[in-house]
Amino acid sequence: MVAMFASGAANAEMLDVEKDELKLGFIKLTDMAPLAIAKEKGFFEDEGLYVTLEPQANWKVLLDRVITGELDGAHMVAGQPLAATIGYGTKAHIVTPFSMDLNGNGITVSNAVWEQMKKNIPAGTDGKPQHPIKADALKPVIDGYKSQGKPFNMGMVFPVSTHNYELRYWLASGGINPGFYSPSEVSGQIKADALLSVTPPPQMPATLEAGTIDGYCVGEPWNQAAVAKGIGVPVITDYEIWKNNPEKVFGLTAEFTEQNPNTTLALTKALIRAAEWLDADNNANRAEAVEILSKPEYVGADAEVIANSMTGTFEYEKGDKREVPDFNVFFRYNATYPFYSDAIWYLTQMRRWGQIPEFKDDSWYDETAKSVYKPDVYMKAAELLVEEGNAKKEDFPFGTDGYKPATTDFIDGVSYDGKKPNAYIDSLSIGLKGKEKIEGSEIVGG
């Protein structure tokens, strides 16, 4: 049953939702924006949904509360639904009909580390460091720490976060081993040259300032916050590590989506509209979005800090502000479509570093991606929005098989084809390959 709904969207149709009062979780990061915008601009209400948005202490608490039903859905790192579904860390079938954004992360190092790195980075014609900065510039610094018997510590936000895999990818591309996981050793520090550990995003700058970590990978606004405080220097963005990489997703339990199919569809419609609003007219709405996100109930950081990345610039070393128009992408480039190939990239990194401890054939990757990513829900929502006049058909990838073409848009130029995950894994310089696995502190098999 569909009811007509008079709203700012003249032709909007409201689905007969099974549950109209919802509580959704998020972490205080810029890329929770589609949730805040869907609420503030009335897109949830257009779909007959009355949504409460609730910040969560960390990613683990957020996931646990979705699983128990205390939250109906949440802003999640892309690895969370995948890891939970395959039983890494927590076992629960989590799905996503909506990818929340592209890019949005950075890697920041302390001022002391930056001063050492800078010696290894060529200067451009303007006298400023040439970008992108590869991890090759960090390797001599880490080698120096090792020769002195000092650990080199780095923070990332969660073991199955995009940040963990991006940081690991960048380090490994520069010959730095970020360490392996095994079923009995879940710190991920086996054979590591750099020791990675979890730090909640809002605590990153303070942890760096205290000297507990030497660098970190995090989403905004916590890289720009380090610049503003003068305590660290962002050296690279994830756009430079993997151009237009998928970042967060909107996650729900499979059970919720099965019991509430119209509610799930309505949520997806509202989020698509919010994402489109965020990127509309060459980011014309971003200044308004920044003001909304700076509210304490959302990100709660200074508007100036949030604006640094949200409005198409990014400040590296203090005073070195550069144009990065695609630092935060919410809709263009099919950002919101949940591609199977995106899911599979994260699964390849879980296998590469031992979170998936044993070899899986290519069909396993395809089946796992399809059990978690739900583009059929997304495309149904898109069809409804097009019918209502609230979206344009050309803005959606109608006819796709869910796989992006092979790409070399990585900092090391390695080609990734989501349909050939094992060939990709085997092509990477550092990491488990073939039937290798970790036993104790050694790589065995082959």
Side-chain angles (χ1 to χ4, degrees), residues 72-145:
D72 296 297
H75 165 231
M76 292 184 181
V77 289
Q80 277 187 299
L82 294 160
T85 298
I86 66 173
Y88 183 78
T90 302
K91 178 66 176 165
H93 191 184
I94 307 292
V95 301
T96 179
F98 180 85
S99 188
M100 290 186 69
D101 63 318
L102 303 178
N103 312 316
N105 296 333
I107 296 172
T108 292
V109 298
S110 69
N111 291 333
V113 169
W114 172 243
E115 287 307 313
Q116 294 178 71
M117 279 183 74
K118 209 171 173 181
K119 300 168 192 171
N120 309 318
I121 303 166
T125 52
D126 59 1
K128 294 177 180 177
Q130 274 186 16
H131 283 246
I133 293 171
K134 296 189 174 183
D136 307 53
L138 179 61
K139 193 173 190 305
V141 181
I142 290 180
D143 290 346
Y145 273 60

Side-chain angles (χ1 to χ4, degrees), residues 110 131 151 161 181 241 245 265 356 361 376 398 433 437:
S110 69
H131 283 246
S161 67
Y181 296 83
I241 297 169
N245 64 90
L265 201 50
I356 297 171
D361 62 24
D376 52 331
F398 286 98
K433 296 172 175 50
K437 58 183 178 179

Side-chain angles (χ1 to χ4, degrees), residues 6 89 388:
E388 295 162 8

